[in-house]
Each structure stands twice: as C-alpha cells, then as structure tokens.
Amino acid sequence: SMENPPQQNQEGESIPQQQQQGSEPVPISKEDIRTLRLQRFEQTKKDPNTLSPPVQPRTVHPSQQQQQQQLQQQQPIGKQTQPEKAPQRIEERRPVQQISLEDQEDRLLSDILQASLSHVQPPKIFLPILAQEVQSTKLKFSYLDSALMEILSKVNEEDHVDYLLSAFLRGLTLLSGHPTVEMALRSLLTYLALELVGMTSSIAAEIGQSRLVSILERGFSVTSVPTDDDIRLASSLIPRLAARNDLDLDQIILPIFAEMFERVKNQTLIDSFQQPLSIVINLTNYPSFAKLLVDSDQWQPAHAQNGAQLEALSFLGPFFHFTSLPSMPQVGKTYLSTQNPRQTQESIQTLRMSFSTLQVGLHKLVLNFLKHRETRESAFQWISAILRGSKARAVIQNVQPSATDGLLLNLGSVMIRLCEPFMDATKLAATKLNSAYCLDGPHSRVDLGSDARLVQLEDFATSGNLAHLPETVRAPQNFLVTTELFFVALYSLHIGVQRTFTSYEHLLRQLRVLQQQRNAMSEPDPQFDAHFANFYVIKLSYDAHLLDPDFLNQCNRFYAFVAEVLLRQAQEGEGDLQLWPEWVVEDLADAVLYGCRFANVVPPAVYLQPLARLAGTFLGRRDRVRNPYLRGKLAELLANFCPSSPTDSLPDIFSDSFLFNSLLSGLVHLYVDIESTGRQGQFYEKFGVRRNVSDLLLHLRTLPAYNTAFATLNKDPQLVRFVNLMLNDANYLIAEVLSKLPQIRDLEATMENPEAWQAMDQAARNTHEETLQQKKREAQSVCGLANETLKVLSVLTAQHKEPFLRAEIVDGFAAMLNYFLVQLTGPNAQKLNVKEPERYPFKPKVCSFKNSSARISIFFSHGDNFQKLVQVVRRETLSILFT
C-alpha cells in the first residue's frame, strides 16, 4: 500500500481506489466532497497543527468540457457570455495561539486595576509585596483583596474613591459580563462601600459621598447631556449597589436623600429643583433604596402633627410645595411684576411648563413607592397624614395650620395621574370601586365620617352604627389599591383644588372693590396704586398655577369618570349611593363651572356627556340626592351650556336621547323641592336655583327633540304645584321691581337737587351713594329673575292652559295680572322711570313686563274657562283702567 499511495483530488481529498483504476476519471459528487471536508475538520480539531495539503489544479472531465463549449456556441449574438468564476483558493489553516485561563485572568485584572506583579512602566502600579508573597508574576482573582489593599496603601486617602470608581468604570468598559470581570466589579463595589461608610477614613467617606452625588448628577442630569461614561457608571453602579444586601446601604444612600431634601427645602420654582427630584426618582426606583427611605426618620417625623408641619419636615413635603401661589411670593414678584402684558403671558406659560414637569416627576416618584408592596403602605400613610392634617380646609373659617395650596394642588394632580390607568367605566377595575371606603373606619385614609351623604338613612344618621347598613355596603377589612387611589384622589381635590378656587373667588371680589375705589379717585395715589399692583400680582400667581388649562382638563376628565361611577351605581341599586359624601357632586359641578368662568376652559363633549346624564338622573330624584341645593348645583352646571345667542359655540349636551324623558320632569320637580329646605335663608336662596331652571326650560322649549316631553308634562303630578309656585315667584319679583325702581328714582332725584345735596355733610353723602348702589344691584337682580319667570309663564301658557285655569289657581292668577296691568299702565307708571334703564335687564319703560302680561292674557282667549278669567279681570281692574 505504501508503494501505491492514494491519489488526491483538486480539493486535497483522497480519491477512492475504485475511481483510480479506471482509464477515465469519474467526477466526485458534492455529497462526497462535503463528507470528506467534515472528516478533515474533525481531524483538524483534534490536532490543530495539521496542515492542509497543497492545492492541486482542478481536473475537468472531457464530457463536462464538451458541454461547456456547446453552451458557449448557443449564446445569442451581441450577448457576451459570463466567464466562469475561478475556484476560490482555500487558505491554509494556521494554528490559533491559545491563551491560557491564567494569562487571560491576569490580563483582565491588570487592565482593571492598572497594576501588575512584575516590573512595569507607569501608569500601572507594581505590587512587590504581593508578588513576593505569592511567588508569581500573574494576578489571580484569589489575590484580588491583597492587591486592592496594597494599591490603596500606595494611593492617598482622598483619592481612594476616585481610584475605585475609575477601576469600576474600566471593568465596565472591558468585558462586562465576563466571570472574572464581574467578580472584580463585585470586589471593587465592596471596597467602595467600605470607603463610603468611613471604614478606612472619615475623609475618604466625606469625599466619597461627594463623588457619588456628582456621579448621580452627571448620570441623571436633566440640564445637560451626560457623557457615555457618566451614563455607564450611574446606570451600572446604582443597580449593583441596590442588589447588595451584605453592605451598609443605609449609611450610603440615606445621606444622599438627606442632601436632596436640604437642597429643595428652601428652593422655589426660580431655582433648579429638577436635578434633586431626578436623583430621588432614580434612586427610589429600586425597592431596597425606597425601603430604606420609608423606614427612616426622614420619611414622616413623629413630631409633625398637622399638614403644615408635615409639609416642612417630612421628606416628600418640600418636593410637593413648589407653586406660584402666595405661599411662595418671590415667584410672582420675579416673573409676574412686569407691566408688559406680553411678557406676563410668556412668564405664565413658562411657569405652567415648570408645573407640568414637576407634576410628571412627582407622579413617577410616588409611583415608585406604590408599585412595591414593602413601601406601598408607607406611601399611603404619608398621603393620609397630609390630608387628615389639612382637613380643617374643608371648613369655611379655617384657622388651623394646614398644608399649603401649592402642595395640595400638586398632590391632586399626582393622584389623578395615578388613577388614569383605570379611568374607564368599562374596565373591570372601575367596576370594583368599593363605596364603603367613604365610611370613616380603621382602614380609611381620609376622614369622611362626619360628612353629609347623598342619601342618608335615618337610622344611620342618628346612630352612625354600621350594623344598620345593608350587608353589601359594610366596610371590608381591606380595600383594593384602585379603590384607595380613587377616593383619596377625590378627597385631595376636595380640600385642595376646590378650596383654592374659593380663595381665588374671594381675591377677585377684593380686587373688584379695589378697582372701584381706584376709579373713584379724583387724583392718583402712588401708595394705593402699589397696593393694587400687589393684589394683581397675586391674582396672576393664581392664574399661573390654578388656571392651567392642562390641569383643569385633568380635573374635568377625572370628574367625568366620577359621574360615570355614580351613574352605574344608581342604575345597579341605591345601596351604595347612601355612602357617598354630598361634596362629591358639588365638586364635579364646580370644577367645570370654575374652568369655564375663570379660565374659559370648556370641557369637550366626551367629558360633558356623563356629567349631563348624571344631572338628568339626579335633578328630580329626592331619593338619590337628598339636598335640593345640590341638585340645584347640577341645574347650574347644565344652564351654563345654554347658549345666550345663536353665535355661541358651546358643546351641545342636550341632544343626548338619555335626557329626553328625564330632564324636563326633573327640572319641574327641582323647582318644587327648592321651596322648603329648612335652611334659614331658603326664601332668597331659591331664586338662584329657579333662575337656572327657567333658563333651561326656555332653552329646551326651542329644541324639537323635547316636544314630546313638553306634550306629556300635563301628566306630571307636580305640574300644578309647579305652576302655583311660579305664579307666586312672579308676583313677588315684579312687586320687588315696582318697589325698588321708585326708591332709585327718589335717591337719584336727591342727588340731582343741588340744594338738598349741598345740605348734607360728607358722611351723609357717602351713605346716600352706597344706598343707591345697593338698590341698583338689588333691582338688577330682581329684574332679571322677574323677566325669566315671566318668559317661562308665557311659554307654558302657550301649550299648557289647563293648570292655570284650575279653580285653586285661576283667582290668584287673575289677581296678579290685574295688579301688574294697573301698575304698568296706570298713573303710577311714571314712578318707574329711572336714569339709565338699560342697565337693568329689561327694556326701557318696563315694556317687557307689560308685553309678557299681555301675551299671557291672549293665550287664554280660547277655552271654556276664559269667561271666568274675564269676569275676574273685569271685577278687579277694568273699572280702574278705563275711567
């Protein structure tokens, strides 16, 4: 066999013996070549020094050569044949130099530590003590502790932390994830922690804390673009540190939290609050760090007893207190004291952007605590302490220290953001909201025990015992997180946003008084002008924070969801409604009204639809909303969207078919229920509610969709009572107008008489002018109410004559018409002429009263009972009118 060695093909593989014996070579198939190559590869793996055989020129079979020539001849003219590619040359396999594990470990550790056990040139550090001890020139992981101790002994104490951080960064840059590198990084982190807690030197600890804060500032920077090394170091060091349970993390992390607290404690929006907030957000993203914070005394000091103390002393308080409201007057003085309106608006927009950034950051921060079980309870306890410590804000005359408006506004925005994931009535989480949370029990975060309820059962109202409640609404031992978030958000908006709007209304009244006094001055008063300017800056400060359109739309969306929840519970049964506080319905109406009146923020139709449906459902239902003034607030909400002119672009909330059958009857029932409420000022308070009802009735009468509802109004059992009360109101209001206009005329005549006016001293003149202004305001109010009432009467008498002609009503109705026709057309009509009659909501010479009365009379010109009405009118009035 050695005399006749096997031949090889062009690829270097041996040719089978049967192929060598033939006179004509047989081509090898691809499968054979693949098999031979696999065999050679396995042999090369066993012996890397095996060299590939020399490459032989390829032998082409004669038959294959003939086929190639025929193909070339068949090519069409003008088309060149692509030359056959030459076979690729197979490079000779060279042996790979293998690096031993010891050498690889030595190289990695030497590069990370910048040290060696052999004499090297700087910047690497020679470690002679370790080299002599181990009698080796190669670093191993087992030598790492000794190596670090010798290196740190050669480095100044103030540079220990810098060296460890640099080595840590080099390890991250090399082969992060390699076992040797990961073990080295763990050891470096251990030594770094020892330096930070002062185990080696207090100087190194102080410097180390400063370096660590600097790393966090650069890695989590919000004011500049961090470098790749900054991001790599911060994003790797912090999570590795958080995962180490064997280190004294409290001595490392709590000082950082304390420094961030001190930075923001005395800062305002003028200062840079974003950087400390960003650092705290990134640190509390790790449960171990968040747990350290909530377990520390910084979180909620035991000696903080009220909302104001918690805001100043608790850890989260200073982060939530940023505002432009009067609690931080320097913000308004810095940004809003300019006399240039354009600059003022730009400053307001800048402040609103800062509030948005702040509230987004605070939402992330609170969410870090709520998403982990070990810190969730502490987060709820802090929120509960703030709200319970500020519950005095719910009282009108609040003298107890509470959290500031700014903190509660920011907290309200954060709570709404936390509710956004389940703010959809169709989601399962929304259907599991438990109304029993409104009971003031041991598991409730807010104090609602003494608040009046929408539907208050007599036994529960007198005893407050939960045993009187149905089994389905008793408070369970624990509540879902969604239930807690929902009702805590409701209460935070109640004592935060709603009370801040009340303060804003009071400020506007003061500003109007100051403006009137300023306009009445004959000469400028610099001191008064400065006082007025300060008040106006405060008003702009409220505008910047409270009237932010984005914040108001947040509130509108949340309250639309609240309306959906109430509607669902009203449809499922009345059991849960008796637990809801009254102020919930009032707040959702006020939120929309405040936004429309003060900021011109009109909610979109998708938010208004559930609110309108809630109003239509509750207006006439005493069994669902016991307080008629609360239902009157819903009527005010609907009346706000009645267009005063055809050009008004208001959302159409009355075309919803859900309202067609309930809204009209609800308005009639509310008009009746508001008559007797038991309150001391019920006689005068009812007119404001009834004016809104009148506006709604007049608007609905113009909509064809409500024709059916008006046609069936005669079947309502409350219609007769409604008509009688409306006639009484018309009688009183018109009488008030006819009595106040002559008083105004007499007061004006006195002021126009020079002799009488000069005979008065200055005090008497001031009293006279104040009385005149007061009478004018009263006349304007009653004129408007009287006009609305007469308009509704004229509309109703057009189609609903029967109630007005009943025996118990017709006499009083005719007497009213008689009296006012005499007053408007008789000799006393001259006493009604006043100066500037257009200031009052009726046409000059009170023509609207006369025309309305005439139209009401004409509507009764057909019918069986008209003769009776004519007899009464003739008996009472005709003799006076035509003498």
Side-chain angles (χ1 to χ4, degrees):
S1 61
M2 295 300 296
E3 295 177 356
N4 298 308
Q7 299 181 9
Q8 295 177 342
N9 62 4
Q10 59 183 354
E11 302 294 339
E13 293 89 351
S14 299
I15 300 176
Q17 190 69 23
Q18 62 270 22
Q19 294 183 11
Q20 301 178 19
Q21 297 175 358
S23 58
E24 183 177 352
V26 179
I28 301 176
S29 65
K30 294 182 178 180
E31 289 75 10
D32 294 336
I33 294 175
R34 187 179 297 108
T35 302
L36 292 174
R37 287 179 176 174
L38 183 60
Q39 293 175 357
R40 190 183 64 178
F41 175 73
E42 295 294 336
Q43 183 179 2
T44 304
K45 282 178 40 178
K46 295 179 181 179
D47 186 6
N49 297 324
T50 302
L51 299 177
S52 300
V55 178
Q56 299 292 334
R58 182 178 180 183
T59 303
V60 182
H61 193 273
S63 61
Q64 293 179 350
Q65 185 176 6
Q66 184 177 1
Q67 291 177 359
Q68 292 177 2
Q69 293 176 357
Q70 291 177 359
L71 288 174
Q72 292 176 0
Q73 293 176 0
Q74 293 176 1
Q75 290 291 336
I77 300 176
K79 185 174 182 181
Q80 297 181 358
T81 305
Q82 296 292 336
E84 183 181 5
K85 294 183 179 179
Q88 296 181 355
R89 180 179 180 86
I90 300 178
E91 298 291 340
E92 295 183 358
R93 295 182 180 272
R94 298 181 180 181
V96 179
Q97 294 183 359
Q98 295 290 334
I99 301 177
S100 65
L101 294 178
E102 292 183 356
D103 292 339
Q104 186 180 29
E105 190 174 11
D106 175 62
R107 289 183 182 181
L108 289 174
L109 293 177
S110 178
D111 290 341
I112 293 173
L113 301 179
Q114 288 292 293
S116 176
L117 297 183
S118 59
H119 291 282
V120 293
Q121 297 294 328
K124 288 191 176 181
I125 304 173
F126 174 55
L127 306 177
I129 299 176
L130 181 60
Q132 184 179 1
E133 179 182 348
V134 299
Q135 294 296 315
S136 174
T137 59
K138 296 180 179 179
L139 282 170
K140 296 182 180 180
F141 178 74
S142 58
Y143 307 157
L144 188 56
D145 286 339
S146 299
L148 285 172
M149 292 177 64
E150 185 172 350
I151 292 171
L152 293 177
S153 66
K154 295 177 177 290
V155 179
N156 295 329
E157 288 186 356
E158 57 270 18
D159 297 331
H160 283 186
V161 174
D162 289 338
Y163 168 77
L164 293 172
L165 289 173
S166 299
F168 191 88
L169 181 59
R170 287 193 294 269
L172 295 174
T173 308
L174 285 176
L175 290 172
S176 181
H178 190 280
T180 300
V181 176
E182 289 298 324
M183 289 187 295
L185 292 176
R186 183 177 178 84
S187 296
L188 288 169
L189 192 60
T190 302
Y191 276 83
L192 179 62
L194 293 175
E195 295 288 343
L196 292 174
V197 300
M199 293 293 291
T200 60
S201 169
S202 59
I203 298 177
E206 184 178 352
I207 295 175
Q209 287 292 337
S210 176
R211 294 288 190 276
L212 187 56
V213 171
S214 179
I215 290 171
L216 297 176
E217 288 177 338
R218 296 195 305 270
F220 304 134
S221 176
V222 294
T223 57
S224 60
V225 180
T227 64
D228 293 340
D229 287 346
D230 294 335
I231 297 175
R232 186 182 296 111
L233 189 56
S235 61
S236 299
L237 178 64
I238 299 305
R240 292 172 188 270
L241 198 60
R244 296 288 297 273
N245 297 325
D246 57 328
L247 303 178
D248 296 328
L249 295 180
D250 56 337
Q251 300 182 43
I252 300 173
I253 299 301
L254 290 182
I256 299 177
F257 285 135
E259 182 174 344
M260 298 302 107
F261 174 83
E262 291 297 329
R263 287 191 185 183
V264 301
K265 184 171 63 174
N266 298 317
Q267 284 186 342
T268 66
L269 286 174
I270 304 174
D271 308 307
S272 177
F273 66 89
Q274 298 184 35
Q275 189 64 66
L277 179 60
S278 175
I279 292 175
V280 174
I281 290 172
N282 283 278
L283 289 179
T284 54
N285 191 40
Y286 300 97
S288 58
F289 294 163
K291 186 70 167 61
L292 288 174
L293 179 57
V294 299
D295 291 342
S296 68
D297 295 335
Q298 298 179 33
W299 178 252
Q300 187 175 329
H303 58 278
Q305 300 298 323
N306 54 54
Q309 293 177 351
L310 283 168
E311 179 175 355
L313 301 177
S314 66
F315 179 80
L316 292 181
F319 289 93
F320 274 83
H321 78 154
F322 292 103
T323 182
S324 61
L325 298 180
S327 58
M328 287 189 173
Q330 56 269 42
V331 177
K333 293 179 181 179
T334 303
Y335 286 97
L336 305 174
S337 297
T338 177
Q339 300 296 325
N340 189 331
R342 180 178 178 181
Q343 293 181 0
T344 300
Q345 290 302 316
E346 291 176 354
S347 298
I348 289 177
Q349 293 301 323
T350 301
L351 290 173
R352 288 175 177 174
M353 292 176 61
S354 298
F355 290 134
S356 177
T357 302
L358 170 68
Q359 291 163 3
V360 169
L362 293 176
H363 168 248
K364 293 180 181 178
L365 178 58
V366 176
L367 188 61
N368 285 344
F369 295 105
L370 292 177
K371 66 184 180 183
H372 302 298
R373 285 184 177 273
E374 54 268 29
T375 57
R376 182 181 303 156
E377 179 63 23
S378 298
F380 274 124
Q381 286 179 358
W382 179 82
I383 297 173
S384 175
I386 286 289
L387 297 178
R388 286 181 176 269
S390 305
K391 65 180 180 180
R393 288 172 57 93
V395 183
I396 297 178
Q397 298 295 334
N398 175 28
V399 295
Q400 298 182 10
S402 304
T404 60
D405 292 338
L407 182 144
L408 293 171
L409 288 180
N410 293 327
L411 179 61
S413 176
V414 169
M415 295 307 302
I416 293 176
R417 293 175 189 270
L418 291 172
C419 294
E420 284 180 353
F422 60 89
M423 275 170 50
D424 185 348
T426 61
K427 291 186 176 180
L428 180 62
T431 62
K432 293 184 176 296
L433 297 176
N434 193 343
S435 301
Y437 196 86
C438 298
L439 299 174
D440 188 18
H443 301 281
S444 178
R445 307 291 182 186
V446 293
D447 184 9
L448 303 177
S450 59
D451 294 345
R453 310 291 163 166
L454 290 179
V455 184
Q456 194 160 355
L457 298 179
E458 294 182 1
D459 49 8
F460 178 67
T462 56
S463 66
N465 190 352
L466 300 184
H468 293 277
L469 293 175
E471 186 68 28
T472 56
V473 298
R474 295 181 190 175
Q477 293 300 316
N478 294 294
F479 295 96
L480 296 176
V481 175
T482 52
T483 296
E484 295 211 68
L485 292 175
F486 176 74
F487 285 102
V488 170
L490 269 176
Y491 192 72
S492 63
L493 292 177
H494 174 60
I495 67 172
V497 177
Q498 301 299 329
R499 292 300 170 261
T500 307
F501 267 119
T502 302
S503 301
Y504 184 66
E505 279 188 304
H506 181 68
L507 174 67
L508 293 181
R509 287 194 294 269
Q510 288 181 306
L511 199 59
R512 282 195 293 268
V513 172
L514 291 176
Q515 184 67 56
Q516 292 173 358
Q517 294 176 358
R518 188 183 185 188
N519 295 337
M521 290 182 178
S522 58
E523 297 180 358
D525 186 347
Q527 186 175 0
F528 185 87
D529 291 343
H531 179 65
F532 180 83
N534 290 334
F535 260 81
Y536 193 74
V537 169
I538 295 175
K539 187 260 184 188
L540 294 176
S541 301
Y542 274 92
D543 293 348
H545 198 168
L546 183 61
L547 303 187
D548 183 3
D550 293 337
F551 175 64
L552 294 177
N553 282 323
Q554 264 189 333
C555 296
N556 290 332
R557 183 189 175 192
F558 177 75
Y559 281 120
F561 174 65
V562 174
E564 291 176 342
V565 174
L566 284 170
L567 278 172
R568 188 184 65 249
Q569 294 193 0
Q571 293 169 359
E572 293 175 354
E574 311 297 338
D576 289 347
L577 285 179
Q578 62 187 338
L579 303 179
W580 286 73
E582 284 186 349
W583 52 258
V584 173
V585 175
E586 184 177 10
D587 286 355
L588 65 85
D590 280 337
V592 177
L593 293 172
Y594 284 141
C596 293
R597 293 171 182 172
F598 299 141
N600 197 26
V601 175
V602 180
V606 67
Y607 297 163
L608 287 176
Q609 184 186 55
L611 296 172
R613 290 186 172 187
L614 182 71
T617 303
F618 285 1
L619 272 179
R621 297 292 298 272
R622 188 184 303 176
D623 56 333
R624 290 180 174 175
V625 179
R626 180 176 53 90
N627 188 346
Y629 293 102
L630 199 57
R631 287 181 277 144
K633 178 64 70 173
L634 295 176
E636 182 183 0
L637 172 65
L638 295 179
N640 187 70
F641 296 96
C642 293
S644 57
S645 65
T647 59
D648 288 349
S649 57
L650 294 173
D652 183 10
I653 62 175
F654 301 101
S655 59
D656 187 359
S657 59
F658 185 89
L659 304 176
F660 291 166
N661 297 324
S662 61
L663 181 55
L664 189 59
S665 61
L667 293 173
V668 172
H669 289 200
L670 175 60
Y671 200 100
V672 174
D673 292 342
I674 202 68
E675 176 69 18
S676 299
T677 62
R679 290 170 57 161
Q680 185 175 2
Q682 64 179 10
F683 180 80
Y684 298 100
E685 292 174 343
K686 66 183 179 183
F687 291 111
V689 176
R690 287 177 173 174
R691 179 167 189 172
N692 293 322
V693 173
S694 299
D695 290 339
L696 288 167
L697 289 174
L698 292 174
H699 178 63
L700 296 180
R701 191 66 187 87
T702 64
L703 303 178
Y706 288 86
N707 288 340
T708 303
F710 273 99
T712 58
L713 194 60
N714 287 329
K715 301 178 182 179
D716 196 311
Q718 293 283 355
L719 182 60
V720 175
R721 175 74 171 151
F722 166 72
V723 169
N724 187 43
L725 292 174
M726 184 168 289
L727 291 176
N728 291 341
D729 289 348
N731 193 2
Y732 169 77
L733 291 171
I734 300 176
E736 282 290 298
V737 173
L738 298 180
S739 66
K740 292 187 181 301
L741 291 179
Q743 294 176 10
I744 294 174
R745 176 185 173 87
D746 293 342
L747 291 171
E748 291 176 343
T750 302
M751 294 179 65
E752 292 177 353
N753 186 347
E755 296 181 359
W757 188 250
Q758 293 297 330
M760 296 181 182
D761 57 10
Q762 187 62 40
R765 293 177 185 176
N766 293 338
T767 303
H768 192 92
E769 291 177 346
E770 292 176 0
T771 303
L772 177 60
Q773 295 300 324
Q774 181 180 356
K775 294 297 181 181
K776 286 183 176 181
R777 288 192 297 268
E778 293 174 355
Q780 290 175 346
S781 176
V782 294
C783 281
L785 292 172
N787 265 335
E788 296 296 326
T789 304
L790 285 176
K791 288 179 182 178
V792 174
L793 281 174
S794 64
V795 168
L796 291 179
T797 52
Q799 290 186 347
H800 304 282
K801 305 179 182 63
E802 293 80 3
F804 295 91
L805 297 177
R806 293 196 178 191
E808 61 268 31
I809 292 179
V810 65
D811 289 338
F813 183 37
M816 182 196 74
L817 293 177
N818 294 339
Y819 175 75
F820 292 119
L821 285 173
V822 170
Q823 295 296 322
L824 296 174
T825 58
N828 293 329
Q830 296 296 326
K831 297 180 180 180
L832 304 178
N833 293 329
V834 295
K835 296 177 60 177
E836 300 178 336
E838 63 275 1
R839 293 185 55 182
Y840 308 99
F842 64 96
K843 299 298 182 182
K845 298 184 180 180
V846 292
C847 291
S848 61
F849 290 162
K850 186 164 55 180
N851 291 339
S852 296
S853 300
R855 285 198 300 270
I856 292 171
S857 300
I858 292 172
F859 288 147
F860 290 100
S861 59
H862 302 284
D864 297 336
N865 293 329
F866 179 67
Q867 295 299 325
K868 183 176 181 180
L869 179 66
V870 171
Q871 293 174 5
V872 177
V873 172
R874 183 179 302 162
R875 182 175 65 247
E876 299 289 341
T877 308
L878 294 181
S879 60
I880 299 176
L881 290 177
F882 298 103
T883 53

